[in-house]
Amino acid sequence: MTPLTNYRDMPPLARARAFCDAFGLRLPILMAPMAGASPASLAIAVATAGGLGGCGALMMAPDAIRAWAGEVRARTNGAFQINLWIPDPAPERDPAHEARLREFLGEWGPAVPPQIADIPILDFAAQCEAVLEAGPATVSSIMGVYPPQVVRRLKDLDIRWLATVTTVAEAREAVAAGADVIVAQGMEAGGHRGSFEPDRPDTALIGLFALLPAVVDAVGQRVPVVAAGGIGDARGIAAAFILGASAVQIGTALLRTPEAGIAQPWADALAEAQPEDTAPTRAFSGRLGRAIATAYVKAASAPEAPKPAPFPVQGALSWLMRDAALKAGDIDRMQAWAGQSARLATTEPAADLLRRLWSEAQEVLGK
Ligand SMILES: Cc1cc2nc3c(=O)[nH]c(=O)nc-3n(C[C@H](O)[C@H](O)[C@H](O)COP(=O)(O)O)c2cc1C
């Protein structure tokens, strides 16, 4: 496969065209892979408009990954990617602290049984096999880099690898490991922050305006850089291209589209949220992620609250509360991931939204 080079020195719209040509797209907008919120219907709409559909496969067993890819292929000729989390080292368990957390969470939802965090997480190697077998043209990663044996298989199969990074050092590491594209994720981004080190994101919360040009300067002559985090309208897209992006990745701004199908209280809260109404929190999963600053998020970050357990223990401990909140339609306890530009999310059909955004962005960029 021809290497993707020399993007850095191209003018913005030429960069966009080169990226689209390389990935078989008609517009340079990627749907963010969103674990739990990237249904096939949304990827189909995005791919049909000419963008790149995405699947956040973190919580999907191999059968579900195969079924998702099969459904998208059956309903569009467009392009899509599948995304996996690179696993963190096994967390250290602290039974006494977990007991305090269970008590705290029991005040917000059903009583939390002691064994709930002992359930094993999905097998990463089996997920990788399912992704390789599904054979998308593109895969992506977050929280680290794929192991060398997986990278070799990706290269053999001509599958391109988009690596999410949150610092310049991570961008260099990902390119050295064989990444074909870097997704620079600013701290404005909704959902989990893709820091390679589980404990680092709190001290390296870098905004996209600083991160994107720095990553482009560091690796942009070798690979294209995709901008992610807080992009929700034509101004944001144009700004990302001015700062050196070859494409943009959008998550939160797609969540209110009919194809996303998220819970109504979450969709409504996105529409209302000003940037300061979101907050980075570990209180849902143990990994840092940006969500609506709900009553639970605020209470869990209060000094007297027990510190969240590491990923994935906190996720298991908070599961009953999150599930109860969804069933009750209660935003105060819901896991309502949201980027800082949530208020820009609209309820247009996803394909119309993407076409409008790119058409307006081209006007801003002086087509
Ligand atoms: C609900 C939700 C779930 C997410 N899950 C994932 C995921 O599984 N893998 C991943 O690489 N990124 C995930 N992200 C982060 C996105 O890929 C992307 O970086 C982010 O949405 C961009 O910021 P924005 O939401 O402001 O557009 C998620 C984001 C959201 C909003």
Side-chain angles (χ1 to χ4, degrees), residues 52-152:
L52 186 72
C55 173
L58 167 72
M59 298 176 296
M60 291 163 72
D63 279 354
I65 294 174
R66 283 188 280 269
W68 187 98
E71 186 180 347
V72 174
R73 280 213 172 90
R75 291 175 47 204
T76 175
N77 292 325
F80 65 87
Q81 59 129 328
I82 305 180
N83 167 275
L84 286 177
W85 282 36
I86 310 303
D88 291 335
E92 276 184 31
R93 302 287 297 270
D94 178 345
H97 186 67
E98 285 178 26
R100 279 194 67 209
L101 277 164
R102 282 192 283 108
E103 197 184 319
F104 176 76
L105 283 156
E107 291 165 16
W108 288 88
V112 183
Q115 300 80 11
I116 199 158
D118 297 340
I119 302 159
I121 56 166
L122 288 167
D123 179 0
F124 176 67
Q127 286 181 313
C128 285
E129 282 306 322
V131 169
L132 292 167
E133 197 188 302
T138 320
V139 301
S140 71
S141 58
I142 185 162
M143 315 298 184
V145 294
Y146 282 111
Q149 66 275 20
V150 174
V151 177
R152 265 195 303 279

Side-chain angles (χ1 to χ4, degrees), residues 32-35 83 85 142 185 189-191 228-230 249-252 266 337 339:
M34 295 183 278
N83 167 275
W85 282 36
I142 185 162
Q185 187 199 39
Q249 177 166 293
I250 293 181
T252 305
W266 180 10
W337 299 123

